[in-house]
Amino acid sequence: MPNSGTTGRRTTALAVAAAAALFGTMALPATAEAHGRGHDKPKYEDLQLLAINDLHGNLEPPAGSSGTVNEIDATTGKTVATPAGGVEYLATALRQAREGHRNSVTVAAGDLVGASPLISGLFHDEPTIEAMNKVGLDVTSVGNHEFDEGSAELLRMENGGCHPTDGCYENGRTFEGADFPYLAANVTSEKTGKPILKPYWVKNVHGIKVGFIGVTLEGTPNIVTAEGVKGLKFGNEVDTINRYTAELKRQGVKSVVALIHEGGYPASNVYNYDCGAGGSGISGPIVDIAKRIDPAVGAIVTGHTHNAYACMIPDPNGVPRSVTSAASFGRLYTEIDLKLDKRTGSIVRPSVTAANHIVRRDVPKAADMTALIDRYRALSAPIANRAIGYIPADINGRGSSALEKPLGDVIADAQLAGLAPADKGGAQVAFMNPGGIRSDLVYKASGSEGDGVVTYGEAFTVQPFTNMMQVKTLTGAQLVQLLQQQVSGLNEAAPKILQPSANLAYTLDMSKTGAARVVVDSIKLNGAAIDPAASYRVAANEFLAGGGDGFPAFAAGTDKLVGASDLDLFAAYLGSHSSVTSPLSVPAQTRITITGTGTDVD
């Protein structure tokens, strides 16, 4: 068989070519024939990525359910809630994780700042940027909350300088900004059409260029105040990443990682869920996005949904690709290990492994983080430690999985109480958006204030946006539309159930779809049916009142009156409705009756 050797080489070459076409960025081991010498082997450079997302300025350990992570107890097999988070522990965990790694890059997928507890939010999140500098963050994408105070403030976060209104917070000390780049590939100026920040960042790893492209969700304008995104356009995530991946390829960058502030909803809430075969155990926007991103992108780091997962989702060629998220508030970090092929400059896709790790509180605190927290804690103490109310037990908001959340009820009641007087807007009903409830009110003392005492700092953590309240006139028909928009339109796939004041009650039939889930005949305000032709004064924060979160019925309201901030109303309500001897009652969650779930609940 004189031609067997030639045929064998031809077959091998065809197989290699077919495999390369299938696997995109995967580098295949070189054969002896390809190099002409049997002892030649491919050479790789190891790279470790450490990733976080959605920190939201949580420098101190988050309280309540916001400060725990679900894991499986090895002994009992049961799910347990493990205390986690706090930058003193996060810094230690990241530094320990880097040990023994020649190449390590620390990345983030947006929302480092915004909706932050008082110790950071009071200082316009300068403390969080300083903490990330010390932690060793190398690069991050923007998230929607980076636009809470507008693009000018985002640029100040990166470039430094004292706040234009509040100035510098310490004598002789100017905020220096981020030591890391913010990436905003799909955020462009309406005037220039160019990205407002760098679209990508390239890291040279011992001669191999690795590109990082950062984007936020295309729907950012729907979840940020109009003022925060004024003058900006938000492009499609996939189109943007693919365009800049091609640009990086032209520059000789063959290894690419995407940092995307958009995420998914895993079937399990365990911190290291792998999403099952082919990513079958995860849903949400990131699934479609991941399946359409250029195969040259070797790994995808995500955020926004505050969920934890380490998945393999097929790329456009059907080849599994790592897609991860590290929950939120610094409770987890993701370790992604991969190999870079020195010959091709590409990520060896089959080499990519990823796992989430809990930021446990049983490790030594990082001394530099402790010093930073102590400094800002001292500056904020006169405001933060002031007692403003009393509670008899935990009142859960962020930590409640119910559609009607106890703390949401309290906030809506506070807004109605503050805006019902005729000279304050004459509000007849109030609504709170669930995403704006950023924490729980926890009975256990966070400091020396005593159990059951609510401090201003704790109230700020719950309502950190300081949105101004508005009262608008809606017709009865528009009020019904408002309730229907919770489960239809932009919110049909992922309902956003508004938290109503105590004088409104209705039924949601979850066996139905879209707007039909709202049982119109069940809607009662002060015990009376809604008159479609009548006018009603409705209170909401400026974000909701402007149509945010997919509620255009709010934007159609008329006769707008601007009131006090949501935080001021919340603090005033706690002060006037609770005392040491008569703490605030925990709402019974009977305003929304849920049916059609198999088990009907109030």
Side-chain angles (χ1 to χ4, degrees), residues 121 161 239:
D239 293 345

Side-chain angles (χ1 to χ4, degrees), residues 27-194:
L28 298 170
T31 62
E33 292 89 348
H35 282 273
R37 299 190 306 275
H39 62 274
D40 282 355
K41 294 181 180 180
K43 294 183 179 180
Y44 306 108
E45 192 71 51
D46 291 328
L47 176 62
Q48 176 198 58
L49 303 181
L50 300 177
I52 61 172
N53 54 273
D54 297 276
L55 179 65
H56 291 290
N58 278 263
L59 303 182
E60 297 175 293
S65 59
S66 295
T68 62
V69 167
N70 289 325
E71 66 174 325
I72 304 297
D73 185 275
T75 302
T76 66
K78 296 181 179 180
T79 300
V80 296
T82 299
V87 294
E88 294 163 296
Y89 306 105
L90 176 62
T92 296
L94 293 177
R95 289 164 183 169
Q96 290 178 344
R98 294 181 191 123
E99 292 177 1
H101 290 269
R102 168 179 159 97
N103 307 306
S104 184
V105 178
T106 302
V107 305
D111 278 7
L112 290 175
V113 300
S116 305
L118 186 138
I119 195 173
S120 183
L122 187 64
F123 307 103
H124 295 280
D125 281 314
E126 292 178 16
T128 296
I129 299 300
E130 292 180 19
M132 293 299 97
N133 289 342
K134 293 178 181 294
V135 161
L137 184 65
D138 291 297
V139 62
T140 183
S141 69
V142 295
N144 55 286
H145 281 284
E146 264 80 22
F147 295 93
D148 283 348
E149 297 186 47
S151 58
E153 177 65 1
L154 170 57
L155 292 173
R156 189 181 75 89
M157 288 292 98
E158 177 162 83
N159 300 324
C162 297
H163 190 270
T165 301
D166 295 341
C168 296
Y169 298 110
E170 295 175 288
N171 290 331
R173 188 173 179 276
T174 301
F175 174 58
E176 296 182 354
D179 292 342
F180 50 88
Y182 265 107
L183 305 181
N186 68 330
V187 186
T188 56
S189 165
E190 289 182 346
K191 289 184 178 180
T192 67
K194 297 180 179 179

